[in-house]
Amino acid sequence: MGMSQDNLRGFILALLSSVFIGASFIIKKKGLRRAAAVSGVRAGYGGYAYLLEPLWWLGMVTMIVGEVANFVAYAFAPAILVTPLGALSIIVSAILAHFMLKEKLHQLGVLGCIMCISGSVIIVIHAPQESPITSVQEIWAMATQPAFLLYLGSVIVLVVLLILYFAPRCGHTNVLVFTGICSLMGSLSVMSVKALGTALKLTFEGKNQLVYLETWFFMFIVATCVIIQMNYLNKALDTFNTAVVSPIYYVMFTSLTIIASVIMFKVSMHLYPLHCLPDSSVVTVKL
């Protein structure tokens, strides 16, 4: 099955986004190291000297460029197609970490990266066509359905628990704590980015969505989630090996985003047999 024009645009933008984001991990890590060497206080232990480090800001700008491309991609394609393409950022960061940070990627890490990419390819191949959305209020109705509110509540409880209880006790010894916070908040930010991107796309098409309070609420959620993500991603990068943080963050973030998309947008994956005969039936798996 061929991609629609919108899905193709989203696909290309998501690929470009992954390249920029993957590179930003390495640039920011070098900035964090340089700032820690000057101030003596690492970001993982509450230091914020990296805010005065130009190299860290270069990494931040690179990440913003990638996130903007990602933002636009969500306006054209479903989240279940865009998010898995982040696998490319793992390869970019792993290669750059090897040469720029002298961080070695062991055989198990290579196997993990290959598995991530293989899973992403399968998801992209079978990505569903998205139902047309004509108003941000439609997305608001999806976001306020009981199933998604239950998911939202669960994420908030888990994030608060990780921040207040687990982070002080084992945040610097267990990579899952900081990356878990980033991934959980990331799944909410993607849903809000999808809503905001769709609203802006409709506005540019002549259907003004800025008059709706829901659009501004989604914008607030995006800003809040991104700030929390950036803070704990810096802690994770400063504390652990980039080759470890990138794949774990990617897998958790992608998995949670797909779950959130399935709950909120009611998407389904269509699996097509490898040898489709003209009269063969299509197997549909509802996630």
Side-chain angles (χ1 to χ4, degrees):
M1 184 181 71
M3 278 190 181
S4 68
Q5 200 68 24
D6 279 352
N7 274 13
L8 181 60
R9 291 193 186 100
F11 174 81
I12 294 172
L13 286 166
L15 287 180
L16 291 173
S17 167
S18 294
V19 173
F20 280 101
I21 291 174
S24 75
F25 280 137
I26 308 305
I27 300 172
K28 288 173 68 178
K29 180 70 178 272
K30 286 184 71 69
L32 289 169
R33 284 182 175 181
R34 186 180 293 180
V38 173
S39 68
V41 182
R42 297 175 58 181
Y45 291 89
Y48 291 96
Y50 60 85
L51 294 175
L52 301 176
E53 173 56 51
L55 191 58
W56 183 86
W57 281 106
L58 176 61
M60 193 63 178
V61 170
T62 305
M63 177 168 278
I64 289 173
V65 172
E67 292 296 349
V68 168
N70 208 36
F71 176 87
V72 180
Y74 282 116
F76 288 103
I80 204 169
L81 167 63
V82 175
T83 305
L85 290 171
L88 180 61
S89 66
I90 295 176
I91 303 303
V92 172
S93 62
I95 293 174
L96 292 179
H98 177 79
F99 291 104
M100 297 177 66
L101 302 177
K102 307 304 178 185
E103 296 180 354
K104 304 300 180 183
L105 187 62
H106 301 292
Q107 291 182 348
L108 193 59
V110 173
L111 177 61
C113 290
I114 293 173
M115 292 175 67
C116 290
I117 295 172
S118 300
S120 297
V121 170
I122 293 172
I123 291 175
V124 168
I125 290 173
H126 302 298
Q129 298 296 327
E130 193 173 33
S131 300
I133 296 175
T134 59
S135 170
V136 71
Q137 292 178 314
E138 287 184 31
I139 304 180
W140 179 259
M142 298 175 190
T144 53
Q145 59 185 312
F148 189 76
L149 290 177
L150 178 61
Y151 175 81
L152 174 63
S154 301
V155 167
I156 292 174
V157 170
L158 285 173
V159 167
V160 171
L161 191 62
L162 285 170
I163 291 175
L164 298 182
Y165 182 81
F166 288 101
R169 291 168 173 79
C170 54
H172 297 94
T173 57
N174 192 327
V175 68
L176 295 178
V177 176
F178 292 149
T179 54
I181 295 170
C182 293
S183 301
L184 287 164
M185 295 305 294
S187 68
L188 297 183
S189 69
V190 166
M191 297 302 101
S192 299
V193 163
K194 174 66 180 174
L196 186 58
T198 302
L200 293 177
K201 180 185 175 185
L202 290 171
T203 299
F204 290 137
E205 290 175 352
K207 304 173 184 176
N208 188 9
Q209 303 296 302
L210 299 180
V211 297
Y212 297 115
L213 184 62
E214 290 87 345
T215 301
W216 298 99
F217 181 78
F218 282 126
M219 189 179 296
F220 171 77
I221 296 298
V222 169
T224 302
C225 291
V226 167
I227 290 172
I228 296 174
Q229 279 181 267
M230 286 296 96
N231 183 36
Y232 285 95
L233 182 58
N234 283 330
K235 290 179 183 292
L237 288 172
D238 185 61
T239 307
F240 302 100
N241 192 308
T242 307
V244 173
V245 173
S246 296
I248 292 177
Y249 176 47
Y250 163 74
V251 171
M252 294 177 67
F253 172 64
T254 301
S255 300
L256 289 168
T257 299
I258 290 175
I259 292 171
S261 297
V262 169
I263 295 172
M264 183 169 169
F265 294 104
K266 298 291 190 299
V267 296
S268 61
M269 299 290 289
H270 300 279
L271 305 184
Y272 295 88
L274 292 177
H275 305 288
C276 289
L277 297 175
D279 58 344
S280 63
S281 59
V282 175
V283 179
T284 303
V285 178
K286 293 285 187 180
L287 296 181

